[in-house]
Amino acid sequence: MNDPVIESMAEVRSHLADVIDRARRDETPTVITRRGKQEAVVIDIQEYQRLRHIAENAEETWLNRLADEAESEGTEGSVSLEEMAALLRTQD
């Protein structure tokens, strides 16, 4: 992946198709700013799916480790893996 291009919302709006093509073809993300603040990133869909897969695997690994630690400490006051995942998701 190449270093990102940083453009304002107005710039991106004027040539969105080029921004998408750059992300897909050149593997160059575009960071979109609004009033000087970074707001969003345009990346290729395959890169997005790859990053999402990594994040989901990391979350699953972390939850499994927490469950293993809780199991080794005993069951009093513990929750199931599914309950823990639901609790963590509501905290976001």
Side-chain angles (χ1 to χ4, degrees):
M1 179 180 289
N2 297 315
D3 288 338
V5 173
I6 299 174
E7 294 185 343
S8 70
M9 181 78 77
E11 291 170 322
V12 169
R13 200 178 292 133
S14 71
H15 66 105
L16 181 58
D18 294 333
V19 170
I20 293 169
D21 288 342
R22 182 172 53 213
R24 183 183 44 80
R25 184 184 56 243
D26 302 335
E27 297 180 356
T28 301
T30 299
V31 175
I32 302 171
T33 63
R34 188 180 343 186
R35 296 181 195 94
K37 182 180 173 193
Q38 295 182 350
E39 294 283 336
V41 179
V42 177
I43 59 173
D44 177 64
I45 189 67
Q46 290 178 338
E47 180 65 7
Y48 167 77
Q49 290 169 339
R50 185 185 76 80
L51 292 171
R52 185 170 174 161
H53 180 73
I54 290 169
E56 288 171 354
N57 285 343
E59 180 182 36
E60 185 175 330
T61 299
W62 180 68
L63 290 172
N64 284 332
R65 190 181 78 240
L66 284 178
D68 290 344
E69 289 173 6
E71 187 176 314
S72 69
E73 294 173 3
T75 58
E76 185 176 329
S78 65
V79 296
S80 71
L81 181 58
E82 291 80 15
E83 291 170 318
M84 177 64 75
L87 286 170
L88 292 170
R89 287 189 183 102
T90 60
Q91 293 178 359
D92 289 337

